[in-house]
Structure formats: C-alpha cells, structure tokens
Amino acid sequence: MLITLHGANPENLYNYFGIKIPEKIIDFSTNTNIFPCPDFDIDIKNLTSRYPDPECKKLLKVISEREDISSKKILFTNGINEAVFLLASLLKEKRTGIFQPCYTEYLRAFHDAENIFDISQAGNYKNFIIANPNNPTGIYVKLSEIIKKFPDTLFIIDEAYIDFLLTDKKPERLCGFENVILLRSLTKFFHLSGARIGYVIADEKIIDALKKFQPTWSVNAIAQELAYKFLNDKEFYSASREFYKKHTPEFINALKKSGFEVMNTSVNFFLIRVENDIEVIKFLLKSGIVVRHTRNFPGLDGKYIRTATRLPEENIFFTETLSLVKNLHRDFFQAGQL
C-alpha cells in the first residue's frame, strides 16, 4: 500500500505506480542534508575488524561539553528509531499521547497511544510525544511553558531537525527539565542516515533504565567515528546552515509566485497544498522528481505533498515542473488557491 512507502527509497515508489524509472531522479522526498559531505579519512578496515566502544565515550564527551550536561544524562542509540522503541519498552504501561501529525514510527512503537491534535491536552497523559521541529510540517514551537504547566507529564521531544532551523536565534534549552526526554538525530544533518546514530538526553534514572533494554554494541564503530568527525567540523556545520537559510526561502518564494499554497515552515522542508496528491506525485515521478506523500500522517490525509530544499538549479526545475502540472491539470491543486 502507498501509506507504507515513506520516501527516501524512490525505486519502491516507481515500482508501486508501475512507472519506468527515468535516467535521472531528483529526490525531494528526503529531508536530510544535501550540502556536500566532507571527505573524511577514516580507517574502515581497522574500524570493522574490532568491536565498537559500547559506551561511545568519545561522543559522550563531545555532547556533554556541547550541551553543558553530565555524560550520565546521555545515551547513544542506533538512530532515533532505536531510542523510540527503547522508550516504548520502558514506558509501555503508561498512557501515551502523540501530537499529530508526526513521524509515523512513534505510533508503531507506542501502538496503544492516542493521537492528539491539541497540545493543551498534554496534561491528560503520563507520556506525551511531540516532534519539534515537526516532521512533516516543519513547524517549530516553544514548549517550555507547556512543560512547566504539566510537571506530571513526561514529555518526549524529538529534535531530529533542530540543526536545520532557519534562524540565528538559539532554540529553547529544555534539557534542564526533569520531565523531559530529548531525542537527537545525527543522521539527518550529518550525512549518516545509512550509518544510524542518534542520542537521548534525559534524567540519569531514565538513561540507566533505558540501558537495560539496549543491546550491547548498539552503535557501530563507523557511525561513532564519522559522527565524532562531523561534530568537530564547525565549518561544515555553519556552511550547511547558511545554505538552507538562503535557499529555502528562495525556493518557497518561487513556488508562491507560481501560485502554489506553501505552508509555513521553520526548517529545510515544507508542505504544498494539493487536491489530488496521487496524480501530482505520478506526474512528477515521470519527470524524475520524487516527493513525499502525506497519506499516513493523521490530519493531513493526502491533501499535501512534502518537499525539501535541494540545490538551486534543482529547486528551479521542481518549480517549473510543478507549474507545468498546474497548467495542465488545475484540478490537481486546492481549488481557489491558484
């Protein structure tokens, strides 16, 4: 079914629709960093021939200093997905609310959780999961007041896209709250989606409890070494942020000028309102463009497509192609918006 096709694997989408894969594909469905990756020199043979450090001590030191917190409050995981499932194992007996729309893996892990669309209802739950910045909407909100308001609720906050914020202002510092668990990804921004690495920041008691569910050597040696190099590469970090701060507004403005309804965003990806998402997606696929459908996000229900900023020339090609779709098939887009 289409709802199981999440993006970032374009071939599956082409196969699903029975469309021949073009010679060149531009994947706008993935919202990871496309700024060129540094050419790090690492000893692959040495890294793969020995067991990885099960405690990720080098990385613990980096994040501890970066966040100004004790290393005992940090746990590295095999990407955020592992962290989510570890938390589901730890908190399975407690009532959980998930703020929607959001990343679909939360509901897979916390399968008895309830979908919530009003953040003021967080106090009705022992656990409350929220992505901030949100995926798929790209919206970022300040949460400190709601966290203070409901001290008996454990807030699980996924900050996987925090490094993509299109602002010079520093995000809220939430790691000081005892009722907060922060999930951070090192895969999205640092070209490590295939390596799988992320970390949890939480109270020491929670970290200790999570460790009891985590397999030994969960984070492989290559992921650890590359993450260490990326985290110490300040030039790559700042250049990537400047790239998106410049080109995302340019991309969005071009789409708006072409008559499309683009939703507000705080990061490198955003939603475009459509009326017939399937036909838009199929048309784009034939042109070599892949976008993310939204049929498996509660509250969006296929009325939007999600796209992410890519290289300037690719963004122009996307805008021109989507405009061609609009000119040929106005009924594919939200009535009254064009």
Side-chain angles (χ1 to χ4, degrees):
M1 296 176 66
L2 178 63
I3 59 172
T4 64
L5 301 176
H6 292 181
N9 296 110
E11 297 80 8
N12 294 341
L13 204 55
Y14 277 98
N15 291 336
Y16 176 84
F17 286 117
I19 297 173
K20 183 180 178 181
I21 301 177
E23 230 174 84
K24 182 180 179 182
I25 297 173
I26 307 175
D27 189 0
F28 286 86
S29 74
T30 179
N31 42 14
T32 55
N33 195 351
I34 56 94
F35 190 78
C37 179
D39 187 18
F40 292 131
D41 182 21
I42 65 171
D43 188 348
I44 295 288
K45 186 177 180 180
N46 182 47
L47 290 170
T48 56
S49 63
R50 57 186 174 85
Y51 284 99
D53 175 6
E55 298 176 16
C56 304
K57 288 187 286 292
K58 280 172 57 174
L59 290 173
L60 279 177
K61 187 175 186 297
V62 173
I63 298 301
S64 176
E65 293 175 352
R66 187 179 183 181
E67 300 292 341
D68 192 24
I69 58 174
S70 167
S71 60
K72 295 180 181 179
K73 293 186 175 183
I74 306 165
L75 176 66
F76 278 88
T77 58
N78 190 266
I80 279 183
N81 271 14
E82 185 193 25
V84 170
F85 279 84
L86 290 175
L87 285 165
S89 297
L90 178 65
L91 306 171
K92 62 182 178 181
E93 303 300 329
K94 297 180 179 180
R95 189 180 182 207
T96 299
I98 301 177
F99 188 66
Q100 296 287 0
C102 70
Y103 183 45
T104 55
E105 290 294 296
Y106 307 147
L107 200 53
R108 281 194 66 225
F110 291 82
H111 49 81
D112 292 327
E114 299 175 30
N115 290 332
I116 306 302
F117 297 88
D118 181 357
I119 198 170
S120 68
Q121 299 301 309
N124 296 331
Y125 299 88
K126 282 295 184 181
N127 310 313
F128 192 75
I129 303 174
I130 180 170
N132 196 39
N134 179 272
N135 175 26
T137 68
I139 298 297
Y140 175 77
V141 295
K142 292 186 176 180
L143 295 174
S144 56
E145 291 306 312
I146 197 84
I147 292 168
K148 292 176 186 176
K149 186 176 180 180
F150 302 117
D152 295 329
T153 297
L154 182 63
F155 287 84
I156 301 169
I157 305 172
D158 183 348
E159 294 187 333
Y161 295 95
I162 201 77
D163 293 313
F164 287 99
L165 284 175
L166 305 173
T167 176
D168 290 325
K169 293 181 180 179
K170 290 187 177 181
E172 281 189 308
R173 180 177 168 82
L174 301 176
C175 54
F177 289 96
E178 290 186 2
N179 63 325
V180 166
I181 297 174
L182 296 179
L183 307 182
R184 299 274 179 80
S185 172
L186 293 175
T187 65
K188 315 296 184 186
F189 195 87
F190 295 117
H191 293 278
L192 294 174
S193 296
R196 312 306 307 144
I197 184 168
Y199 60 95
V200 181
I201 297 178
D203 182 81
E204 287 182 37
K205 291 181 180 178
I206 293 174
I207 295 297
D208 288 341
L210 288 175
K211 286 179 179 178
K212 294 177 182 178
F213 290 96
Q214 186 182 39
T216 307
W217 308 301
S218 185
V219 182
N220 71 77
I222 294 175
Q224 289 188 43
E225 184 64 20
L226 287 173
Y228 181 79
K229 289 184 178 294
F230 269 117
L231 287 168
N232 285 288
D233 191 334
K234 295 180 180 179
E235 184 178 342
F236 169 80
Y237 186 83
S238 60
S240 293
R241 285 184 48 79
E242 289 304 315
F243 173 86
Y244 284 108
K245 281 160 60 180
K246 177 182 179 182
H247 295 296
T248 299
E250 286 179 353
F251 189 16
I252 291 173
N253 289 336
L255 286 164
K256 287 182 175 179
K257 286 180 181 178
S258 297
F260 298 102
E261 185 180 3
V262 181
M263 304 298 105
N264 291 333
T265 186
S266 300
V267 287
N268 62 316
F269 57 88
F270 49 88
L271 298 176
I272 302 172
R273 187 72 184 255
V274 296
E275 185 64 29
N276 191 328
D277 64 322
I278 295 298
E279 294 306 321
V280 171
I281 289 169
K282 287 165 65 176
F283 191 103
L284 292 174
L285 286 173
K286 292 173 183 176
S287 302
I289 292 174
V290 182
V291 294
R292 175 68 160 89
H293 75 85
T294 59
R295 292 201 167 203
N296 59 333
F297 292 111
L300 299 184
D301 307 317
K303 293 297 182 182
Y304 303 84
I305 55 173
R306 191 195 72 193
T307 189
T309 303
R310 290 190 59 88
L311 298 175
E313 60 272 21
E314 294 174 329
N315 299 336
I316 291 171
F317 177 62
F318 178 93
T319 304
E320 291 175 345
T321 305
L322 200 63
S323 296
L324 179 60
V325 185
K326 179 193 70 174
N327 292 334
L328 291 174
H329 303 282
R330 286 184 173 267
D331 56 325
F332 287 1
F333 296 86
Q334 182 66 13
Q337 299 300 328
L338 303 176

